[in-house]
Amino acid sequence: MVAVDEKYIEELAHKVSEKLSDHRFEHCLRVKDYAIKLAKQNNLDENQAAIAGLVHDYAKERSASDFIQKIDEKGLDPDLKNWGNPIWHGVVGAYFVQDELGINDPEILEAIKEHTTGDKYGKMSVLSKVLFMADYLEMGRNFPGVERARTLTDESLDAGVFYQLSSTLSYLAGQGNPIYPKTFTAYNDWAQYLAKK
Ligand code: GDP
Ligand code: FE
Ligand code: FE
């Protein structure tokens, strides 16, 4: 169990705060706190969880042209250009985190890329699941069912992940929103895995 490096986190928080509005920065602080709680419950490196939580939405307030430029610069899948901020800020945002904040831990970068959509059962690390759930459950969230989702996640991190995948997919479809392929793939894979268990 690695303890949180408070001094490093404080310096990082300052850099994150410079790129985000107050309300979103506060969300990031709450995700950090919830990620630490889930890390403790799941025997994960607390410092890694804290960093991932703090920086996960670092790129959320960048312009579309900043994202397009990064997609070209890094040679990412051009299909990404058909999507928008909700997908870019994680998948492409991880590169802003790496380039501007100097975070090179591949597990943290992968968790940021997956934090909106999740991924297949076998592809999500414990860190990735912790970040995915901390973002959904941080103490500022108040959607109907949040308490049930928190209890479920305390009992089983995997059960929490599937609850979120299933709720988000049905919410997005109910609104008539396009579903990013990885969101679908993640949901199907977890549903099949849990059915076989
Ligand atoms: P936030 O950054 O803290 O607001 O949370 P997230 O990164 O989890 O989600 C950002 C937004 O993306 C939310 O409004 C989700 O509903 C939305 N989102 C998640 N998956 C998909 C998807 O597959 N397609 C679309 N269009 N939006 C999605
Ligand atoms: Fe996000
Ligand atoms: Fe978030």
Side-chain angles (χ1 to χ4, degrees), residues 24 27-28 31 56-57 60 83-87 89-90 112 114-118 132 135-136 138 141 164 168-169 171-172 177-184:
R24 187 156 283 114
H27 161 70
C28 290
V31 174
H56 79 288
D57 278 342
K60 184 111 177 179
W83 296 83
N85 184 286
I87 298 303
H89 82 281
I112 296 168
E114 294 169 2
H115 90 264
T116 307
T117 58
F132 188 62
D135 188 23
Y136 191 59
E138 58 93 345
R141 300 283 195 202
Q164 179 180 175
T168 302
L169 186 65
Y171 169 77
L172 289 167
N177 281 315
I179 311 280
Y180 189 61
K182 202 168 180 177
T183 304
F184 254 130

Side-chain angles (χ1 to χ4, degrees), residues 18-74:
E18 288 180 326
K19 299 289 182 189
L20 295 177
S21 54
D22 289 352
H23 87 275
R24 187 156 283 114
F25 176 61
E26 281 155 22
H27 161 70
C28 290
L29 292 177
R30 291 191 300 266
V31 174
K32 165 183 75 72
D33 291 341
Y34 212 97
I36 293 170
K37 167 194 142 82
L38 291 178
K40 285 186 181 136
Q41 289 171 207
N42 292 281
N43 299 313
L44 181 72
D45 180 331
E46 288 169 37
N47 197 50
Q48 209 186 16
I51 296 167
L54 182 59
V55 305
H56 79 288
D57 278 342
Y58 175 70
K60 184 111 177 179
E61 294 176 3
R62 300 302 166 101
S63 66
S65 62
D66 282 357
F67 282 114
I68 300 287
Q69 207 181 332
K70 202 60 123 182
I71 291 167
D72 287 336
E73 180 194 326
K74 301 289 173 184

Side-chain angles (χ1 to χ4, degrees), residues 8 12 51 55 94 97-105 108-109:
Y8 174 69
L12 198 56
I51 296 167
V55 305
V97 167
Q98 185 170 29
D99 293 349
E100 296 178 17
L101 299 175
I103 292 172
N104 291 304
D105 178 336
I108 294 179
L109 297 173

Side-chain angles (χ1 to χ4, degrees), residues 72-172:
D72 287 336
E73 180 194 326
K74 301 289 173 184
L76 305 180
D77 184 352
D79 173 63
L80 273 169
K81 293 183 185 174
N82 297 318
W83 296 83
N85 184 286
I87 298 303
W88 292 338
H89 82 281
V91 179
V92 188
Y95 294 90
F96 287 87
V97 167
Q98 185 170 29
D99 293 349
E100 296 178 17
L101 299 175
I103 292 172
N104 291 304
D105 178 336
E107 287 183 22
I108 294 179
L109 297 173
E110 193 58 26
I112 296 168
K113 287 180 193 169
E114 294 169 2
H115 90 264
T116 307
T117 58
D119 206 334
K120 289 182 176 181
Y121 173 80
K123 271 215 65 197
M124 287 184 88
S125 67
V126 178
L127 177 66
S128 200
K129 294 176 195 176
V130 161
L131 178 60
F132 188 62
M133 294 319 298
D135 188 23
Y136 191 59
L137 301 176
E138 58 93 345
M139 295 314 288
R141 300 283 195 202
N142 60 2
F143 58 86
V146 69
E147 271 310 328
R148 175 164 153 57
R150 287 189 183 120
T151 308
L152 197 62
T153 307
D154 284 341
E155 288 163 6
S156 157
L157 186 61
D158 282 353
V161 170
F162 187 64
Y163 181 93
Q164 179 180 175
L165 286 172
S166 139
S167 311
T168 302
L169 186 65
S170 57
Y171 169 77
L172 289 167

